[in-house]
Amino acid sequence: MVNSRFLGLLSLLTLFVSAEARPQSHAVWAADSAIARKQGNGLDSSQRASVSYEHGELQWGLRLLYEATGNRTYYDYLLAGANNIVYDNGTIHGNYAYVSKTADYSLDPVRTGPTFLYLYQKTGQTKWKSAADTFKVQLDAHPRTGQGQFWHKKQYYNQGWLDGIYMGDVFYAQYVKDFQPSNSTAWADITQQFNLMYQNSLQASSDVHNTGLLYHGYDYSHTAVWAASDRGHSPEIWNRALGWYMMALVDVLEVIPTSNAGYATLRGILQNLAPKLRDAADPSTGVWWLVMTQPGREGNYFESSGAAMFVYSLLKGIRRGFITDTNGSIRAAAEKAYQYMTAHWVVENSDGTMGWTNTVQVGSLSGNGTFEYYVGVPTVLNDLKGLAAFLLASVEYEKL
């Protein structure tokens, strides 16, 4: 018979090991868990090279965590991931051959570009400059609307999406800062990308369920089935699309010179959106609905990737002085949302890793853009778009 005291000691030891396996930092826990699952490493599920915006998002978080902790594990992982998609001569390979400027003019793969620029700064290796140049050449030839907005993809004729601002313009801004800092035309173009999206997708006060926030996208040609008669905007505010845009604002405001007129424009947009985003949060939980224009409607739910993106954007905006939060209400709202996230969407796995729930798989304007479409898309456990956003939010929260 096993001694009962031994069983008690074994139970305590198990609890101790479990506690040790779980980092106190949620940022560290999220990053370590993604690495343990080999997520965001430049390879797809079949171990083929994959130029993925999700990987670029995670690598941005790993970079910030490396800079905050000095733990080289995070730098080495993002370096290995980038090496998986860039040959030694600087050629971007894998699926980029199918989504590049010659085939699809997609903004999505450009999101890996900031990783290339960062690695060029750290290593001085010309392969990273060559890879970054490939994306800049794509942007130089990228199709645009009559107003000058990048199309989200070649297949989405004359359409600007909030998602594309994050995918393309964070890289665009960093590239100009690094190699063309006095290029006033480029800075004006970057500012225009944000401003055109804002002006064409801002919800009007007369619209139903007005939040004063931004619709998912717009069609400058007004030919899409979902295009509104006034500015061609889509019918609903999808939380993650707005999240991409908000993150792009705070990340580019770190890069654009404060003396440039574009800085004031971008900061003005952020200052306008931040309190409206605060007010759009569910009063009880503090987080946001998947379809923000239909709060409480049957089928709608609180979605985790958009919430994490909002927390990152608001806290970083406040910390860097981009958002004026005189009474502390915006910070309080972001903190409340973060506490809901850790209590409801973080799962402790038996192997000590962290699971992340309630991230919607995808959102697109390739169809009709209706409420039924958005809520009909399934959620995915450990979806990198949400987990990486939670890493970013946790980095900012822990800086408080």
Side-chain angles (χ1 to χ4, degrees), residues 32-332:
D32 290 353
S33 299
I35 291 172
R37 290 189 288 265
K38 298 182 179 180
Q39 293 182 275
N41 64 353
L43 303 174
D44 64 16
S45 58
S46 299
Q47 301 304 295
R48 295 172 299 195
S50 177
V51 186
S52 165
Y53 69 87
E54 299 178 31
H55 296 196
E57 181 192 4
L58 177 69
Q59 289 161 3
W60 185 269
L62 294 177
R63 164 189 171 178
L64 296 181
L65 192 55
Y66 167 60
E67 293 171 349
T69 66
N71 185 339
R72 194 172 176 88
T73 298
Y74 306 122
Y75 174 81
D76 290 343
Y77 192 80
L78 73 87
L79 173 61
N83 273 320
N84 280 334
I85 60 173
V86 180
Y87 289 134
D88 288 343
N89 66 359
T91 299
I92 307 170
H93 60 100
N95 65 329
Y96 186 62
Y98 303 99
V99 295
S100 69
K101 59 183 175 58
T102 58
D104 196 29
Y105 276 103
S106 173
L107 290 174
D108 287 344
V110 180
R111 180 55 209 153
T112 58
T115 300
F116 304 158
L117 294 172
Y118 177 64
L119 290 174
Y120 182 65
Q121 292 173 3
K122 299 293 286 185
T123 69
Q125 291 182 311
T126 56
K127 66 177 287 186
W128 303 119
K129 173 64 164 57
S130 296
D133 287 344
T134 298
F135 284 151
K136 181 58 167 59
V137 168
Q138 176 184 330
L139 292 182
D140 288 344
H142 205 88
R144 297 171 180 251
T145 68
Q147 293 177 307
Q149 182 88 66
F150 288 138
W151 295 7
H152 189 66
K153 290 183 182 182
K154 185 178 180 180
Q155 71 186 87
Y156 301 132
Y157 178 76
N158 261 308
Q159 294 177 25
W161 297 10
L162 295 177
D163 321 38
I165 298 293
Y166 184 75
M167 305 309 166
D169 290 294
V170 177
F171 165 77
Y172 190 2
Q174 188 66 55
Y175 187 97
V176 172
K177 179 183 180 182
D178 290 350
F179 305 116
Q180 305 168 355
S182 60
N183 188 338
S184 58
T185 301
W187 288 122
D189 188 32
I190 292 164
T191 303
Q192 176 179 242
Q193 297 304 312
F194 282 88
N195 201 32
L196 287 174
M197 279 302 315
Y198 179 76
Q199 297 297 335
N200 285 296
S201 63
L202 181 66
Q203 192 177 27
S205 59
S206 58
D207 292 350
V208 177
H209 301 301
N210 176 53
T211 63
L213 296 169
L214 307 182
Y215 291 108
H216 188 167
Y218 72 97
D219 175 12
Y220 180 69
S221 66
H222 288 61
T223 57
V225 65
W226 44 257
S229 58
D230 57 347
R231 289 160 293 145
H233 63 74
S234 59
E236 304 288 357
I237 294 176
W238 179 49
N239 71 330
R240 187 158 73 219
L242 182 59
W244 292 128
Y245 185 85
M246 293 292 293
M247 291 202 301
L249 276 171
V250 296
D251 290 344
V252 170
L253 277 166
E254 278 193 315
V255 173
I256 190 170
T258 56
S259 59
N260 188 282
Y263 177 87
T265 299
L266 298 189
R267 186 168 181 236
I269 292 173
L270 181 63
Q271 290 267 50
N272 182 57
L273 292 177
K276 294 175 181 177
L277 186 59
R278 172 201 62 200
D279 296 343
D282 175 66
S284 176
T285 64
V287 290
W288 294 267
W289 296 93
L290 173 78
V291 182
M292 299 175 70
T293 26
Q294 305 272 358
R297 180 173 171 180
E298 184 178 357
N300 209 354
Y301 60 92
F302 302 128
E303 197 276 335
S304 64
S305 66
M309 292 173 181
F310 295 156
V311 170
Y312 169 75
S313 304
L314 294 177
L315 291 182
K316 182 173 182 176
I318 293 167
R319 178 177 63 82
R320 291 302 310 270
F322 306 144
I323 297 172
T324 301
D325 185 29
T326 306
N327 64 2
S329 61
I330 298 175
R331 172 175 166 163

